[in-house]
Amino acid sequence: MKISLRNVTVIPMTGDEVIAPGEVLIEDGVITFAGRAGSAPCPFEADEVIEGEHFVVTPGFVNSHTHAAMTLFRGYADDLPLMQWLNEKIWPAESRLKPKDVYWGTLLCCLEMIRSGTTTFADMYFHMDQAARAVEEAGLRASLSRGLIGVARGADRALGESRAFIKDWHRAAGGRITTLLGPHAPYTCPPDYLKKVMRLADELGVGIHIHVAETTSEIKEINEKYGCSPAALLHRAGLFSYPVLAAHCVHLNEDDMKLLAEHRVGVAHCPESNMKLASGVAPVARMLDAGITVGLGTDGAASNNNLDMVEETRTAALLQKVHTGDPTVIPAHQALAMATRDGARALGLGEEIGTIEVGKRADLVVWEWHAPHLCPAFNVFADLVYAARASDIHTVIVDGRIIMRNREVLTLDEEKVMAEAARRARRLVGK
Amino acid sequence: MKISLRNVTVIPMTGDEVIAPGEVLIEDGVITFAGRAGSAPCPFEADEVIEGEHFVVTPGFVNSHTHAAMTLFRGYADDLPLMQWLNEKIWPAESRLKPKDVYWGTLLCCLEMIRSGTTTFADMYFHMDQAARAVEEAGLRASLSRGLIGVARGADRALGESRAFIKDWHRAAGGRITTLLGPHAPYTCPPDYLKKVMRLADELGVGIHIHVAETTSEIKEINEKYGCSPAALLHRAGLFSYPVLAAHCVHLNEDDMKLLAEHRVGVAHCPESNMKLASGVAPVARMLDAGITVGLGTDGAASNNNLDMVEETRTAALLQKVHTGDPTVIPAHQALAMATRDGARALGLGEEIGTIEVGKRADLVVWEWHAPHLCPAFNVFADLVYAARASDIHTVIVDGRIIMRNREVLTLDEEKVMAEAARRARRLVGK
């Protein structure tokens, strides 16, 4: 399959370049050319041509932290204190989850993500073989982790399930699915359990996805138990010798940031979830100054309540400005880099995706740049980050395959997914 | 013209009621029935019927503070410190503004607002007769103020222009256009000038729209000059004896809040602009506790950069949760009330619009409730505030007239407005 994007505006995100009119050529899933329109070296017989000055092409969004199947719980419980939300609402509903619920919930999540320009996501949940099947069908790229609670019954069995899942699915779906081990958090996975996780990581050669320093109560609990911060505890346990994707990182001190930078821990910043649950504001500007790779994530739809990376990118920039009191921090271009290139790096996929450059897998979003809210169009970065909407997304390409064309999702039966997911969601919450 | 909305979900915003299936009847611009479907007392021969279980009907959004024609400067200057942004970018561009630019800029703003469900807005700018013409043509409702800078040359002439504008346009366009006097801010309008504004308010019988306590530098400047806060200064000058719409109110102390509550000053909270310019976080939760009426506004598109009240409502709720550390503040229903009913009250239009109830003018938004990001649809308030998008808005009714039907704006030539506005915007910024 050969695709040509012609006479479009290309935003490669390798730097701050805007190529207009630009051209991107895709062959067998790989970007074979990206540059000025008409300057491709060889003739190219495309099977499909997407053409037009009103199209802007960016790398696909990388949603670097979510719990896909929790889309089933969107709007089920809101505006509650965290522990009440978990104890009285989310955990009881999750206890009723069957494997097929995760399949349909993940499909619903994929549908929403495709429509809002996400091409890759990092997921942590249960029944991950079902999640993987959904990702395979949706045509998305994902990094999947089976969540591990070290303090729960069945913690060792969960390690075994993780091993089986990773063996079955790592680099499956034509390479689109990768896997990570998913120890939930420092406060649910004590150092002894983390050691088992690390042995498994050695055996399987995969990295680790973990929640870190999400709330002040976590900071307090870890400090009381271990006399250090969650990041320091993980470092002490040896976790940072592995590739780590650390979600949230809301409450980090300067030493924590040094550790994360030094050990190249990737951070998944989830501003809207942190706002909605009142967890706090992550020190993103300082993390970036420290040299940490920070991607953006929506977290699950139960605490967001959407999976819209267009909006998440905007919120990340705006929140950091008001938090630091400095309107110059996280300028538009940097916010977009976090949402694409840096998210890919945080997932350990920086060599394969995240930018539009020759040799990378073709994960692209085509935006229709013609709407009142995008007029007069002075600066495409500012417009993308501060004004654009998910509904401006016209076409989505993952791994060189068009999975949404002109706002029609080609890989999934949208009506069927919504109906079945809603039916199952009602059962889960007893409605 | 008689319109019937049948078998829809009705969210009246008089309380927290959801009527499903519900019915709304509109006759000659007025809501004549709102209740359970099929329970209307009389037969009703509608000229137009909007029907379907997948429709949700809410009051239109009230954008309680913007500078409409600044939509021409969207994306022209971003990620800059406030004074550099104003001095080097916005003010030079504004100095080139001609009356017709304001007309086309306001039309562009109206187009975007209609598409995102705003039915009423409060505007402060220049060449307001041009803005009024645009509002009249767009079919929107607006409260318009000619901005007044007391310390500028021509300050007295501007008062005269305000008088003429108000005499010409107050209650024009079939009553859709109302007017306010627009002294810009305490630091640009000294007490002596405010006295002249108040005399004019007496003469004309209109209220006042003013920026208050937007930045810490304003607090500092007013305190150095007058030994008090901006709110206290305005109170001392006598301004709060008039109906006042106070934009921003980011930096208020407890005494300020008491003053605002006592004098029924309406506040226009603009979270995204305050975030983008790093002005600070308004103490909305405390204002509400103090009994102040708080509406929501986008501010101008040059500092937002869109006019999307769906998003602004979400941001208002999320920002206040993280700011207070309490996930229960500004629950979804309250956020939506601020964006509709309370905004109407802040503009002094609470008797006429802001809710769906018999006798009020019919300003309604019809949402198409069928999309992956709105599934599984457990709670319409949570979904509206935390998950919905402007693109879910299907039909918009202002003053009993359908101005957008099935996402087609009926009152304006969209292509012409975008082309002409963009052409003028490029001239203004010298591009």
Side-chain angles (χ1 to χ4, degrees), chain B residues 121-189:
Chain B
F121 67 103
D123 187 31
M124 185 195 291
Y125 213 56
F126 314 102
H127 305 305
M128 294 309 291
D129 48 337
Q130 296 294 324
R133 276 193 50 210
V135 170
E136 184 168 31
E137 287 176 33
L140 285 171
R141 192 181 304 279
S143 177
L144 305 177
S145 331
R146 196 252 194 246
L148 300 165
I149 311 280
V151 295
R153 261 188 300 182
D156 287 332
R157 197 185 62 226
L159 286 172
E161 287 174 16
S162 281
R163 177 191 284 114
F165 169 68
I166 290 170
K167 289 197 163 185
D168 287 347
W169 285 98
H170 193 67
R171 289 294 170 188
R176 284 187 284 114
I177 293 178
T178 50
T179 58
L180 297 167
L181 284 159
H184 171 261
Y187 62 96
T188 53
C189 295

Side-chain angles (χ1 to χ4, degrees), chain B residues 6-9 21 51-56 369:
Chain B
R6 271 187 213 152
N7 294 323
V8 296
T9 296
E51 182 156 21
E53 283 178 15
H54 61 299
F55 286 132
V56 170
W369 217 249

Side-chain angles (χ1 to χ4, degrees), chain A residues 72 74-75 78-80 112 275 278 305 311 314 321 327 331-332 370-373 375-376 378-379 382 386 414-415, chain B residues 72 74-75 78-80 112 275 278 305 311 314 321 327 331-332 370 372-373 375-376 378-379 382 386 391 414-415 418:
Chain A
L72 296 173
R74 183 202 328 269
D78 299 276
D79 305 317
L80 294 174
E112 183 183 351
M275 293 170 88
N305 292 357
E311 182 180 295
R314 171 149 59 244
K321 290 173 196 297
H370 186 71
H373 63 276
C375 182
F378 284 132
N379 180 321
Y386 299 126
E414 191 152 17
E415 294 302 323
Chain B
L72 296 172
R74 184 202 325 271
D78 299 277
D79 305 317
L80 294 174
E112 182 182 351
M275 293 170 87
N305 294 356
E311 181 179 295
R314 172 150 57 243
K321 289 172 196 295
H370 187 71
H373 63 276
C375 182
F378 283 132
N379 180 322
Y386 300 126
S391 53
E414 191 153 16
E415 294 302 322
M418 286 197 280

Side-chain angles (χ1 to χ4, degrees), chain A residues 30-95:
Chain A
V30 175
I31 297 166
T32 57
F33 177 80
R36 299 279 312 167
S39 69
C42 311
F44 190 85
E45 293 287 329
D47 302 300
E48 177 127 10
V49 176
I50 296 168
E51 181 156 23
E53 284 178 15
H54 61 299
F55 286 133
V56 170
V57 180
T58 65
F61 286 112
V62 177
N63 185 341
S64 61
H65 180 68
T66 191
H67 308 289
M70 289 186 82
T71 310
L72 296 173
F73 305 129
R74 183 202 328 269
Y76 166 54
D78 299 276
D79 305 317
L80 294 174
L82 178 65
M83 290 320 295
Q84 189 185 346
W85 179 71
L86 288 172
N87 280 317
E88 296 178 15
K89 297 286 186 170
I90 296 301
W91 288 339
E94 282 188 333
S95 73

Side-chain angles (χ1 to χ4, degrees), chain A residues 62 64 295 338-351 353-355:
Chain A
V62 177
S64 61
M338 289 164 68
T340 55
R341 182 190 70 203
D342 298 348
R345 288 178 186 165
L347 266 60
L349 299 172
E351 298 294 310
I353 55 161
T355 59

Side-chain angles (χ1 to χ4, degrees), chain A residues 71-76 78-82 108 111-112 115-116 272 274-281 304-306 308 311 314-315 318-319 321-322 325-333 370-379 382-383 386-391 414-415 417-419 421-422 425-426 429 431, chain B residues 71-76 78-82 108 111-112 115-116 272 274-281 304-306 308 311 314-315 318-319 321-322 325-333 370-379 382-383 386-391 414-415 417-419 421-422 425-426 429 431:
Chain A
T71 310
L72 296 173
F73 305 129
R74 183 202 328 269
Y76 166 54
D78 299 276
D79 305 317
L80 294 174
L82 178 65
L108 178 63
L111 203 48
E112 183 183 351
R115 289 206 159 277
S116 48
E272 293 202 344
N274 298 157
M275 293 170 88
K276 185 153 186 281
L277 298 172
S279 305
V281 180
N304 187 302
N305 292 357
N306 58 41
D308 182 340
E311 182 180 295
R314 171 149 59 244
T315 302
L318 297 182
L319 181 62
K321 290 173 196 297
V322 77
D326 180 355
T328 71
V329 303
I330 323 271
H333 174 268
H370 186 71
H373 63 276
L374 299 173
C375 182
F378 284 132
N379 180 321
D383 289 343
Y386 299 126
R389 298 177 189 160
S391 52
E414 191 152 17
E415 294 302 323
V417 170
M418 286 197 280
R426 284 192 297 270
V429 307
K431 276 190 185 176
Chain B
T71 309
L72 296 172
F73 305 129
R74 184 202 325 271
Y76 165 53
D78 299 277
D79 305 317
L80 294 174
L82 179 65
L108 178 62
L111 203 48
E112 182 182 351
R115 289 204 160 278
S116 47
E272 293 202 345
N274 298 157
M275 293 170 87
K276 184 154 186 279
L277 297 173
S279 304
V281 180
N304 186 305
N305 294 356
N306 58 41
D308 182 341
E311 181 179 295
R314 172 150 57 243
T315 302
L318 297 182
L319 180 62
K321 289 172 196 295
V322 78
D326 181 355
T328 70
V329 303
I330 322 270
H333 174 268
H370 187 71
H373 63 276
L374 299 174
C375 182
F378 283 132
N379 180 322
D383 289 343
Y386 300 126
R389 299 176 189 160
S391 53
E414 191 153 16
E415 294 302 322
V417 170
M418 286 197 280
R426 285 192 295 271
V429 307
K431 275 191 185 174

Side-chain angles (χ1 to χ4, degrees), chain B residues 182-389:
Chain B
H184 171 261
Y187 62 96
T188 53
C189 295
D192 280 354
Y193 189 74
L194 289 176
K195 293 227 159 33
K196 296 181 189 175
V197 172
M198 289 185 277
R199 278 202 293 273
L200 201 50
D202 286 329
E203 176 194 330
L204 299 165
V206 297
I208 286 160
H209 183 178
I210 185 168
H211 297 81
V212 180
E214 183 174 359
T215 65
T216 49
S217 70
E218 173 183 343
I219 304 297
K220 188 159 169 277
E221 184 180 333
I222 295 294
N223 191 54
E224 282 171 7
K225 258 193 201 149
Y226 303 100
C228 65
S229 71
L233 179 68
L234 296 178
H235 175 245
R236 198 193 286 170
L239 205 79
F240 292 167
S241 310
Y242 298 80
V244 170
L245 171 63
H248 298 298
C249 295
V250 175
H251 303 283
L252 297 183
N253 61 40
E254 295 298 325
D255 290 338
D256 294 339
M257 288 189 246
K258 274 184 206 153
L259 282 177
L260 266 54
E262 198 181 318
H263 295 277
R264 296 172 180 243
V265 172
V267 169
H269 172 46
C270 304
E272 293 202 345
S273 172
N274 298 157
M275 293 170 87
K276 184 154 186 279
L277 297 173
S279 304
V281 180
V284 174
R286 285 189 293 141
M287 284 194 242
L288 294 172
D289 284 345
I292 298 170
T293 298
V294 182
L296 300 180
T298 58
D299 208 353
S303 64
N304 186 305
N305 294 356
N306 58 41
L307 305 160
D308 182 341
M309 285 288 290
V310 187
E311 181 179 295
E312 203 75 33
T313 307
R314 172 150 57 243
T315 302
L318 297 182
L319 180 62
Q320 204 62 201
K321 289 172 196 295
V322 78
H323 180 62
T324 59
D326 181 355
T328 70
V329 303
I330 322 270
H333 174 268
Q334 184 163 32
L336 192 61
M338 289 165 67
T340 55
R341 182 190 70 203
D342 298 348
R345 289 177 184 164
L347 267 59
L349 299 172
E351 298 294 311
E352 297 167 51
I353 55 161
T355 59
I356 301 178
E357 55 187 314
V358 172
K360 283 204 174 176
R361 306 301 302 177
D363 289 10
L364 307 177
V365 169
V366 182
W367 305 69
E368 190 170 31
W369 217 249
H370 187 71
H373 63 276
L374 299 174
C375 182
F378 283 132
N379 180 322
V380 71
F381 289 113
D383 289 343
L384 275 164
V385 172
Y386 300 126
R389 299 176 189 160

